């Protein structure tokens, strides 16, 4: 991290309400390329005004709280700091506390979020903390709760099955785009189930299929044709691909 980014971290930490700043994303996980963005979590408690970030004067876009849908990902900023791309993410520590308690109790909630086809679980906040490098302040460093590992696979599998079943209505009508999109969502949700069963954190969908061993979806989608009979076969193939994960999540089910 160069001097300009260090200065940014220091100035963020001085903003009212900010309790900690952490490095996340690929820079923290070790998967970064030379041109990767720098992802910084700005953890606050109580009142926090993004206008303070805007006043730092870096070019880019700064969102208000709640601008990203009002869920666990409640806003952030895209900045250029001496030409370096930096993403900021607002993180409410009261929400973090709630999500830790929910995860430890095995409660799972999935929210829609732009750019995340499968949706995101509330426990993604724990995943971020687990891999983050805390730069300033103190933050929880959660391990994967046993109750979450037991509960999350079934939650993801149930919604994946629903998507896969509904894809068949698109297939029967020859709606190729909707059929394949719905099957893709189902497979990504199945991948979440597989990694939850292994107690592995997920922070985004970029390598999700690879990590879950479901990358064969690419070939299935590529071979699909618009005719209803072809799309029905595609549905069969996707369900066959996902079936081992579904069975593991619900071993007493035999359909």
């Amino acid at each position: 991290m160069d001097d300009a980014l260090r200065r940014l971290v220091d100035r963020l930490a001085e903003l009212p309400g900010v309790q900690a700043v952490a490095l996340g994303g690929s820079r923290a996980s070790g998967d970064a390329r030379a041109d990767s963005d720098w992802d910084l979590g700005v953890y606050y408690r109580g009142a926090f005004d993004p206008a303070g970030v805007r006043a730092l004067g870096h070019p880019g876009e700064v969102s208000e709280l709640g601008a990203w849908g009002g869920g666990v990902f409640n806003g952030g900023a895209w900045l250029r700091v001496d030409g370096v791309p930096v993403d900021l993410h607002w993180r409410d520590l009261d929400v973090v506390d709630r999500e830790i308690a929910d995860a430890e109790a095995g409660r799972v909630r999935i929210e829609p979020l732009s750019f995340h086809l499968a949706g995101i679980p509330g426990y993604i906040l724990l995943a971020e903390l687990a891999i983050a490098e805390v730069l300033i302040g103190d933050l929880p460093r959660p391990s994967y709760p046993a109750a979450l590992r037991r509960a999350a696979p079934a939650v993801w599998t149930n919604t994946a099955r629903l998507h896969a079943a509904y894809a068949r209505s698109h297939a029967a009508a020859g709606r190729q785009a909707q059929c394949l999109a719905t099957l893709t969502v189902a497979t990504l949700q199945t991948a979440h189930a597989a990694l939850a069963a292994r107690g592995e954190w997920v922070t985004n969908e970029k390598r999700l299929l690879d990590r879950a061993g479901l990358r064969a979806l690419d070939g299935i989608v590529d071979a699909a044709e618009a005719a209803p009979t072809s799309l029905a076969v595609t549905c069969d193939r996707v369900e066959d691909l996902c079936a081992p994960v579904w069975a593991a999540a619900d071993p007493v089910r035999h359909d």
Side-chain angles (χ1 to χ4, degrees), residues 69-88:
V72 294
F73 278 19
N74 66 337
W78 297 278
L79 305 178
R80 303 288 295 190
V81 180
D82 281 6
V84 176
V86 179
D87 294 346
L88 304 182

Side-chain angles (χ1 to χ4, degrees), residues 4 39 45 58 63 66 69 76 93 96 106 110-111 117 120 122 150 155-156 169 177 200 209 216:
D39 294 296
R45 194 177 295 279
H58 297 291
S63 83
L93 282 167
V96 170
I110 302 171
E111 298 180 352
L117 298 177
I120 62 166
R150 290 192 297 270
V155 174
W156 283 111
S169 67
E200 295 184 16
L209 293 179

Side-chain angles (χ1 to χ4, degrees), residues 53-66:
V53 177
R54 202 172 290 115
L56 298 179
H58 297 291
E61 179 179 343
V62 179
S63 83
E64 299 302 325
L65 293 179

Side-chain angles (χ1 to χ4, degrees), residues 27-45:
R27 298 282 181 180
S29 66
D31 297 324
R33 305 184 309 270
D35 60 346
S36 293
D37 296 347
W38 291 80
D39 294 296
L40 298 176
V42 180
Y43 289 84
Y44 66 91
R45 194 177 295 279

